[in-house]
């Protein structure tokens, strides 16, 4: 093969790997928001579709004419560590009320390509009134308008609606605010990542959320050996792509057997290489390293929040002192706030130390660096990479 052909093959592999990591970080890529990334995904869509289907069991939908690509990610296990967040200053996670209004808004937006915020609010009022399990929506109340606006701003973020006149934030202070939206109904439909369409779920079915996420390709309660192996491959690689670290003691028996098999190890390495990750294999578990952080949605260490700074300091304690009690972490956080009275002002109040310790522990747990068992918190193996080594200089 000529040198030019080798360069072309290498360039194609690098583009596919970059597109995979881009979609892992942003499962919905819009031509309007990132034309370069969208053009790359469109250019390499066929191998991308095949890669996600083979290694993860995920469906990739690329719509060149409508200007978006949607990776339909489905998790094998429920996970609450990446909630939808409000697109306001606090970036607080969505609560149950905001998720409810988001679903009602999405359903009502399918009926018209153009609407106003007032018309949509009234349709949501009517929709909530006919659903016995849904609390009534009252746009007169400020907290209700705030929740409604947060749902709409998330839909704007995904390009499902576009404010053609006015701004959604105006609705926070004024129920009579005038905002005109254009609706991309196709994109609204694509937002829901569920193997089973909601219309196929019987209204009287008990676990409706579970029914939405049932993946028939794995055989249900009586899978064949082929289906078990397929589930083991997909579920394990999904976890590797989604979680900072995967510990072997957290795997199911089927996943553990697959990870230890020659075929499983070969395919995991191949998936990592083709996606541009560095696979780190240890006795305790596995993790994928993204050297250029293309697929990384949140980082650690990071000084972007007080909780992350505190988490790094407390991690040193966990690694050096072994398991400690929650009360010890609370005391350490309280002492930290005392030493730096101008830092972390949001925590400089009564019970600020325990709140800071709780938020820091949440960070460590999310990154797979610590685990709480009862009243005790212990560092996990991946935390060793953050150990502070003290150099000892001997007298000559």
């Amino acid at each position: 093969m000529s040198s030019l052909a080798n360069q072309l093959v290498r360039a194609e592999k690098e583009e596919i790997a970059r597109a995979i990591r881009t979609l892992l970080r942003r499962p919905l890529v819009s031509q309007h928001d990132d034309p370069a990334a969208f053009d790359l995904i469109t250019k390499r869509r066929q191998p991308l579709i095949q890669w996600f289907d083979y290694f993860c069991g995920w469906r990739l939908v690329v719509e060149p004419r409508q200007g978006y690509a949607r990776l339909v990610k489905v998790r094998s296990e429920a996970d609450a560590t990446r909630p939808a967040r409000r697109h306001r200053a606090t970036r607080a996670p969505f609560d149950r009320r905001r998720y409810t209004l988001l679903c009602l808004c999405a359903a009502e937006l399918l009926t018209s390509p153009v609407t106003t915020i007032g018309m949509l609010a009234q349709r949501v009022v009517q929709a909530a009134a006919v659903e016995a399990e849904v609390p009534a929506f009252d746009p007169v109340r400020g907290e209700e308008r705030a929740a409604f606006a947060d749902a709409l701003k998330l839909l704007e973020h995904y390009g499902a609606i576009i404010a053609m006149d006015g701004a959604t934030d105006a609705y926070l202070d004024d129920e009579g605010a005038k905002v005109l939206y254009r609706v991309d109904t196709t994109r609204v439909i694509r937002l829901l990542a569920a193997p089973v369409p909601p219309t196929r779920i019987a209204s009287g079915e008990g676990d409706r959320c579970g029914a939405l996420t049932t993946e028939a390709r794995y055989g249900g309660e009586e899978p064949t050996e082929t289906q078990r192996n397929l589930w083991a491959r997909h579920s394990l690689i999904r976890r590797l792509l989604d979680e900072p670290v995967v510990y072997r003691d957290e795997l199911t028996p089927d996943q553990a057997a697959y990870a230890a098999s020659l075929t499983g190890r070969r395919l995991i390495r191949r998936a990592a290489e083709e996606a541009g990750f560095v696979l780190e294999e240890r006795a305790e578990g596995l993790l994928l390293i993204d050297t250029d952080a293309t697929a990384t949605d949140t980082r650690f260490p990071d000084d972007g929040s007080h909780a992350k700074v505190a988490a790094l300091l407390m991690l040193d304690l966990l690694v050096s002192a072994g398991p400690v009690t929650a009360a010890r972490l609370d005391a350490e956080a309280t002492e930290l706030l005392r030493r730096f009275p101008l830092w972390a002002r949001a925590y400089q109040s009564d019970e600020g130390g325990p709140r800071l310790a709780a938020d820091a522990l949440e960070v460590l747990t999310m990154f797979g660096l610590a685990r709480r068992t009862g009243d005790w918190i212990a560092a996990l193996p991946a935390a060793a990479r953050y150990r502070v080594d003290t150099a000892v200089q001997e007298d000559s």
Side-chain angles (χ1 to χ4, degrees):
M1 185 179 292
S2 67
S3 176
L4 176 59
N6 283 330
Q7 292 177 11
L8 292 174
V9 170
R10 190 180 307 113
E12 179 181 357
K13 289 182 177 179
E14 290 175 354
E15 287 182 350
I16 292 171
R18 189 165 70 253
I20 289 171
R21 298 198 307 280
T22 298
L23 284 162
L24 289 172
R25 180 173 182 172
R26 289 180 290 146
L28 181 59
V29 177
S30 170
Q31 184 179 31
H32 179 268
D33 297 330
D34 193 341
F38 178 75
D39 290 345
L40 176 60
I41 293 167
T42 302
K43 176 183 177 183
R44 301 299 183 189
R45 62 181 178 274
Q46 204 53 47
L48 290 172
I49 289 170
Q50 293 170 355
W51 191 92
F52 281 111
D53 179 67
Y54 182 76
F55 287 111
C56 312
W58 288 337
R59 187 163 56 97
L60 174 62
V61 179
V62 182
E63 297 286 358
R65 293 184 179 180
Q66 296 178 353
Y68 71 88
R70 173 69 162 123
L71 177 61
V72 185
K73 293 177 64 178
V74 180
R75 286 189 58 89
S76 302
E77 302 88 14
D79 176 42
T81 61
R82 292 177 177 84
R85 293 192 176 273
R86 307 172 200 183
H87 282 261
R88 286 192 280 162
T90 61
R91 296 289 296 166
F94 266 38
D95 52 21
R96 185 181 183 90
R97 185 55 172 163
R98 282 165 171 80
Y99 279 121
T100 300
L101 292 175
L102 176 65
C103 293
L104 290 175
C105 287
E108 294 303 320
L109 286 169
L110 295 176
T111 62
S112 175
V114 177
T115 189
T116 66
I117 197 167
M119 292 172 59
L120 180 60
Q122 287 306 309
R123 295 219 301 265
V124 169
V125 168
Q126 296 168 7
V130 299
E131 294 289 342
E133 299 177 0
V134 176
F137 173 56
D138 182 7
V140 174
R141 297 166 53 198
E143 62 270 24
E144 287 280 81
R145 291 200 307 275
F148 183 70
D150 286 334
L152 291 179
K153 286 175 73 69
L154 185 64
L155 290 167
E156 284 186 89
H157 171 71
Y158 288 126
I161 58 175
I162 298 173
M164 302 174 65
D165 186 22
T168 304
D169 283 334
Y171 193 68
L172 294 170
D173 300 318
D174 182 9
E175 182 191 354
K178 307 297 182 184
V179 188
L180 177 67
Y181 296 111
R182 185 174 75 240
V183 184
D184 187 336
T185 54
T186 303
R187 196 170 302 201
V188 172
I189 293 171
R190 294 292 187 198
L191 289 180
L192 182 63
V196 180
T199 53
R200 295 185 185 176
I201 307 300
S203 59
E205 193 163 343
D207 183 9
R208 281 181 278 181
C209 288
L212 279 174
T213 56
T214 298
E215 298 179 83
R217 69 192 302 175
Y218 304 126
E221 296 181 358
E222 297 183 0
T224 64
E225 183 177 356
T226 299
Q227 289 171 325
R228 281 199 304 271
N229 287 334
L230 184 66
W231 178 85
R233 179 172 83 227
H234 287 170
S235 62
L236 181 56
I237 294 179
R238 287 175 184 181
R239 291 188 62 177
L240 281 168
L241 295 173
D242 268 350
E243 300 176 15
V245 58
V246 175
Y247 292 106
R248 297 186 192 275
D249 64 358
E250 296 176 344
L251 300 177
T252 68
D254 284 343
Q255 290 172 333
Y258 187 83
S261 69
L262 291 176
T263 299
R265 294 180 67 188
R266 177 176 59 82
L267 287 178
I268 290 171
R269 290 172 183 169
R270 179 181 150 195
E273 180 183 355
E274 292 182 4
F277 291 106
V278 176
L279 174 64
E280 186 172 309
E281 297 180 87
R282 302 282 181 174
E284 301 88 358
L286 309 100
L287 63 86
L288 295 177
I289 301 171
D290 181 17
T291 55
D292 61 7
T294 301
T296 305
D297 59 345
T298 183
R299 304 185 184 199
F300 185 83
D302 181 17
D303 60 1
S305 73
H306 297 126
K308 286 186 176 181
V309 174
L312 185 59
L313 296 172
M314 292 182 187
L315 188 60
D316 185 42
L317 170 68
L318 291 174
V319 171
S320 59
V324 301
T325 63
R328 174 77 182 277
L329 282 189
D330 291 349
E332 289 290 329
T334 301
E335 174 62 15
L336 186 63
L337 293 172
R338 187 195 66 79
R339 288 170 53 200
F340 302 100
L342 299 181
W343 177 75
R345 291 183 180 275
Y347 296 97
Q348 295 285 356
S349 62
D350 292 342
E351 298 300 317
R355 287 193 293 110
L356 179 60
D359 290 347
L361 181 57
E362 183 179 349
V363 170
L364 295 176
T365 302
M366 182 178 70
F367 281 94
L369 300 173
R371 181 184 296 160
R372 179 167 185 166
T373 305
D375 196 45
W376 289 88
I377 297 99
L380 292 174
R385 66 182 56 228
Y386 301 101
R387 182 189 299 273
V388 177
D389 294 325
T390 303
V392 178
Q393 183 176 356
E394 297 181 355
D395 293 334
S396 58

